[in-house]
Amino acid sequence: MKEYRTISKIAGPLVFVEKTEPIAYGELVNIVLADGTTKRGQVLDTSDELVVVQIFETTTGIGKDSGVRFTGETIKMPVGREMLGRILSGGGKPIDGGPEIVPEKRLDITGAAINPYARGMPADFIQTGISTIDGTNTLVRGQKLPIFSGAGLPHNNVALQIARQAKVPGSTEGFAVVFAAMGITKEEANYFMADFERTGALEHAVVFLNLADDPAVERIITPRLALTTAEYLAFELGMHVLVILTDMTNYCEALRQIGAAREEVPGRRGYPGYMYTDLASLYERAGMIKGLKGSVTQIPILTMPGDDITHPIPDLTGYITEGQIVVNRDLHRKGIYPPINVLPSLSRLMNLGIGPGKTRDDHKKVSDQMYAGYAEGNDLRGLVAIVGKDALSERDRLLLEFAEHFENKFVRQGYDEDRTIADTLNIGWDLLSTLPVEQLTRIDRDLINKYHPKLKSGVKKE
Amino acid sequence: MEVKEKKPNEAKQAVLKRIAGPVVTAVNLDAHMYDVVRVGKEALMGEVINIQGDNTIIQVYEDTSGIRPGEPVTNTGLSLAVELGPGLLTSIYDGIQRPLSVLVDKMGNFIERGVSAPGLSHEKKWGFKPLVKAGDKVEAGAILGEVQETNIVHKVMLPPNAKAGVVKTIKTGDFTVDETICILEDGREYPMIQRWPVRVPRPVSEKKNPTIPLITGQRILDGLFPIAKGGTAAIPGPFGSGKTVTQQQLAKWSDAEIVVYIGCGERGNEMTEVLTEFPHLEDPKSGKPLMERTVLIANTSNMPVAAREASVYTGITIAEYFRDMGYDVSLMADSTSRWAEAMREISSRLEEMPGEEGYPAYLAARLSEFYERAGLVETLNGASGSVSVIGAVSPPGGDFSEPVTQNTLRIVKVFWALDAKLSQRRHFPAINWLNSYSLYLEALHDYYDKEVSPDWNKIRSWAMEVLQKEAELQEIVQLVGSDALPEAEQVTIEVARMIREIFLQQNAYDSVDTFCDMKKQYDMMKAIKLFAELAYAAQVAGVSPTQINAVKSKGELPQIKFIKDYKPELAKIEKQMDAEFNTLRSAA
C-alpha cells in the first residue's frame, strides 16, 4: 500500500493531504506516526488536489512527516456471535482482556437505510415494569424512544431498570442488549458494568465504551459500531436487540467540534446544519423487517443542556424519534423515583402495541383519562399557591388530589419493582375512582362498568 | 433543440474532480442547469445545480461513499422528470419516483445504490377505452381515452405541451404504457405515458377562486377553520404535538378523489404505518380501500438528502397530473421543514451566502413557488380540478418565528397552529383554537348555508365567541379562582369546556369518532348551544352554577361521539336536558 508524506495542514481533528492518486470519498485512512503507532481516520472531502481526512483519535503526534495510507475501502467492522458478553472500546477494540473478535462478517458501519417498504410494523408490547412507560408511554419492539434528562438526574437508573426488566410478556425469543457509551465518566461506566454483572445481563450484552477522556471524535463512530452490531444480531441472527446509547449530547458536541474544524456555516447554536440528517442516520437504524425475526429497539439517552427541551439536541432528536421519556427535576427533588414527567413524555407507537390481545381493552382510554386529570390537577397547583385550597371548587379539589396521588402511587415505584401491565392499569383505575364517574368523559360506559372499582363491586373480586 | 447527444470524438471525457458528501464537482461536462447526470462508475443519479466556468456542481441522489476523483460523468440531457400514466395509484415511491417495492426486489431490505427503476411498470397491460374517434380535433391536454386503474378512472391525455392535431387512428384494447394508442394526422404518435419535468408547473387554462370546502371529517378543521378545495394550509407545531397524526387523518378522510402523501425526511416506521393501515381502511365515499386513491412518496430522514429535496416536486407534479384529469387532489407534505433543511444542507455545501438561520436566501421563493402550484383550476381540457396543499412545518423548539414557518404563513391561507400544551393534556387534535385561522370562511359561507344549515355560520361564530370569552375569563380565574366569577360567566366557562371536550376533542383511534361528517358536527354543536341557552335561562331564574353543572344529561353528551347512529340517542339526551332544566327552574 502506498504511503504518502504530503500532509499540508493539520487543524483540530482534520488532516489535509496533498498530491494523492484519486482517493474515494468515505475511505478509511491509517496515519503512521514516527514511532510506528497508527491512527485511524476517514476521508471527508476528496479532490485531485487535496484530500481532507478526519481523524478518530487525537491528532497528537501527527506531523508533516507522518505517513498516510489510504486503505481503499470504507470503514468496516468485524461482527460475530461471540461479541455477546464482550466489552469493546469506542473504536471497537476489545478492552476486557479477552481475545480479538473472530469475524463472521465484516459490515460497513454507516449502514444503509431500511427500505420503508420492507419495514415490518412494530406491534409487540414491551413490558418495562415501569408504570409511567408501560401505562402511559408504551414502548414497542422496533421503536426508538429516547430518555430526555438533565445533568444530575437518575436517567442511568431508569435505563438500567428498563434494560433489566424489559420483556415481551409470553415471548421466549432470544434477546440482547447493545450498550454504547459516548463520553461518559469512568465512574458512570463502572456503575453500568456493575449492574450488568449483578443481574447477569452482561452475557447477553455487547458493550462499547468511549469514556470522557477518550478522543471526542471517536464518539462519531461509537454509535455506528454499536448499531452495526445490533443490526447484525437482529437481522442476521434473529435476536431482539435493545440498544442503549448514552449520552447523545456528547455525540452532538463532537459533531459540532468537527463542523467547527471544517469551518462550516453553523446552524443553531453552532451545531452543524446537517445535524438532523446525521442524527437520523443513527436513530432510523431501529425497526423490524418484514419476514425477518429480529428487531432493533433504541433507547438513546441525552442530557438536555440547562434542562431546555428546545435546545437543538433534544429538539432534533424529538423530531426523529418516536416519542420521548422526559425525566424531570421537580419530581426528583420531591424524592420520586423514577422521576418521569408524563406530561411532556410521549410514545408515538403506543397505539400499535396496546389494546385487547396485547395489553388490555381499557389501556388507551385509562391512559388518556389519567393524562387529562393529571394535567388539569397540575395546573391547579399554580392557582392554589395564589388563592389557597379553600377557594377551589369541589371538582378542582378532587383533581388536585388526583395529581398528588398520581405522582405518589402511579409514578413512584421501586428501583427493583417490576409491575405487570395489569398492576399498572389497576393502579390507574384506583386513582380514577377518586374522581366522579361523570367526569371520566374519555372512557366509554362499557369499560367503566367493566373495570371501575366502585361500579364493578357486584362482580366477585378475583 | 440543442445538441445533447454524447460526442464520441470530443477530446475530453467529463470526469469527477471533487467529492464532498452529496455534492460533487465535475469538469468538462457540457451541461445545463437541472440536467440529470450519471455520476461515477456506478452511474449514480444526480442533478446539475450550479455551473462555474469549467466546473459543474452536481447534487447526487444517492450515497457517494467510495466514489473517486477521475470517475466518469455523463449527461442525460434531460431534466429531472416523473413518469405519468396508469400505475401511479397505490404506488409508493422514493423522492425521485423509484418504486420502493421494485427496489426491495432489486436490492433487498436496505436501500443500496446505483439501481434505477422506472416509476411505472412498462410491462403491465392496461385496458384502454378511447373517448375520441378518428377525425376529431384534439388540443393539448385533451382526454383521449380512459383506463380503469383502480376504482379510479385514469384519463389518458394528450401532453400539455403538445400541439393541436387531428386524430388519425385511435386504438382500443390492452396496451403497455409505451405502446402507441393514438396517431395524429401529422404522424405524431402518442402512448399512454407522459414525462413531465418536476420543477415546472403543469399548465392550466385558468386559476379560479375556491368556493367548496375540503371536508376532512375533523371537527375543529371543518367546523372552525376550514380549508377549501384548491386551497393551501400549514400545520406548524413542535414535535409530539400531532402533526403527523393530523396529516394522516387528512390523508385518510378528506373528501378529495386522489391523495398524494409525501413523507419528506420523516420516520420510517410512520411510513410503514401508512402502508400497513391504508389498504385496510375504507374510503367513506366509495367504500373501497383508501390505498386505491393514494400515491405515497417516502423519503425517510436517513435516505439521501438530495432526493429529499426532490421529493416535494415529484409529489406535486403527480398531484397536478391527476388534477388535469378533472379530479380533486389533496397533497400532504410532511414535513416541509425537512425539505427546507435539505435545501439548507445543499446550499451550505455549495458555500452559498446564507440567509436567515443558515437557510438559503431563496427559501421564501421556493416555498411560495411550491404552494402556488395548488389551486382550483379549469384544466386545458375544460374540466374543473383542484390541488389542495397541506404542509406540515416542524419549527425548531416549537418557535413559530423561525424562517420556514414565517415564510410559509405569508403564503398559505389556513393556519392550524398545533400546541404542545394541548397535546400534553391529550387534547387531540392539539390545534389551538385561538391562534389558528382560515381565510376561506367568506368564500365558503354560501356552501355552508346551502349544504349544512342556514344557521351554521352563526353557530360557528357563537362557538368562537364563547371560546374567546373563555380565554379572557381564564386569565381572571388564574388569579382569583373560578368561584369568584359572576354566575353567568361561570356558565360560560362550563359551556366553553363542553365545546372543547365534546366538539373540539376528537379521537383519531376510535372507529366512529375518527370521522365526523358535517351534519353530525352541526348536530353536536347545536346540542351544546341548546344546553347553553337552557343554562343561561336557568341561571337567570336563580339556579346555581353547581346545579347546572350537575345536570345528568350533560354527562351523557360526550358519548354521542362514539355512536355511529347517534340521532336517537341525541334526541333522548336533548329531551332529558329540557326536562332536567325544567325541574331546576321550577324548584328555583
Side-chain angles (χ1 to χ4, degrees), chain A residues 25 45-46 113 276 319 379 442, chain B residues 18-19 66 111 265 395 425-426:
Chain A
Y25 175 74
D45 192 335
T46 171
Y276 177 84
Y319 275 123
D379 283 352
R442 289 160 189 262
Chain B
R18 178 182 172 195
I19 301 106
I111 305 263
R425 57 187 59 193
R426 295 304 186 259

Side-chain angles (χ1 to χ4, degrees), chain B residues 49-231:
Chain B
I49 51 171
N50 207 329
I51 300 172
Q52 298 169 352
D54 237 6
N55 295 339
T56 306
I57 298 174
I58 299 161
Q59 61 175 351
V60 183
Y61 293 124
E62 299 176 77
D63 179 37
T64 52
S65 292
I67 311 287
R68 294 163 197 272
E71 290 193 28
V73 180
T74 52
N75 189 356
T76 63
L78 303 167
S79 306
L80 182 64
V82 285
E83 293 190 346
L84 302 167
L88 285 169
L89 294 173
T90 73
S91 288
I92 166 163
Y93 294 118
D94 75 352
I96 45 176
Q97 213 208 4
R98 296 186 301 178
L100 289 173
S101 57
V102 175
L103 294 187
V104 169
D105 297 339
K106 284 194 170 181
M107 56 196 188
N109 294 325
F110 292 87
I111 305 263
E112 307 288 342
R113 62 180 189 190
V115 177
S116 56
L120 297 178
S121 164
H122 290 247
E123 285 88 47
K124 185 165 179 179
K125 292 201 179 242
W126 299 92
F128 174 78
K129 221 168 70 201
L131 291 176
V132 291
K133 52 188 188 304
D136 283 357
K137 191 168 183 302
V138 286
E139 292 183 10
I143 294 171
L144 301 175
E146 56 188 33
V147 166
Q148 191 72 40
E149 190 177 348
T150 57
N151 64 322
I152 305 278
V153 176
H154 191 113
K155 311 261 169 70
V156 177
M157 297 170 289
L158 205 61
N161 49 1
K163 276 194 303 237
V166 177
V167 178
K168 185 175 165 206
T169 322
I170 181 106
K171 297 182 184 167
T172 315
D174 294 349
F175 302 98
T176 66
V177 290
D178 295 319
E179 288 173 293
T180 303
I181 45 109
C182 179
I183 305 170
L184 301 186
E185 292 283 4
D186 54 13
R188 281 182 289 155
E189 297 186 0
Y190 288 99
M192 287 193 265
I193 195 172
Q194 298 185 11
R195 286 186 180 78
W196 191 263
V198 297
R199 295 184 197 275
V200 183
R202 288 172 64 90
V204 297
S205 303
E206 195 197 345
K207 259 193 149 176
K208 296 187 289 193
N209 283 339
T211 51
I212 298 170
L214 181 75
I215 301 294
T216 65
Q218 310 305 303
R219 285 186 293 267
I220 184 159
L221 307 186
D222 294 347
L224 300 187
F225 311 108
I227 174 176
K229 282 192 173 128

Side-chain angles (χ1 to χ4, degrees), chain A residues 168 235 356:
Chain A
V168 172
F235 301 132

Side-chain angles (χ1 to χ4, degrees), chain B residues 402 478 568 584:
Chain B
E402 59 90 39
Q478 292 299 320
L584 282 177

Side-chain angles (χ1 to χ4, degrees), chain B residues 140 202-207 323-324 377-383:
Chain B
R202 288 172 64 90
V204 297
S205 303
E206 195 197 345
K207 259 193 149 176
R323 171 204 67 193
D324 290 347
V377 304
E378 191 189 307
T379 64
L380 292 179
N381 53 46

Side-chain angles (χ1 to χ4, degrees), chain A residues 376-395:
Chain A
E376 212 169 325
N378 201 33
D379 283 352
L380 287 167
R381 288 175 172 165
L383 180 61
V384 168
I386 301 170
V387 298
K389 236 180 193 172
D390 296 343
L392 292 185
S393 65
E394 179 61 19
R395 179 179 186 279

Side-chain angles (χ1 to χ4, degrees), chain A residues 201-232:
Chain A
L202 189 58
E203 55 183 298
H204 306 287
V206 187
V207 177
F208 292 85
L209 290 180
N210 165 286
L211 299 180
D213 56 350
D214 287 335
V217 194
E218 190 183 80
R219 280 161 214 163
I220 301 293
I221 57 169
T222 307
R224 295 191 160 82
L225 297 174
L227 289 164
T228 306
T229 309
E231 281 169 353
Y232 173 77

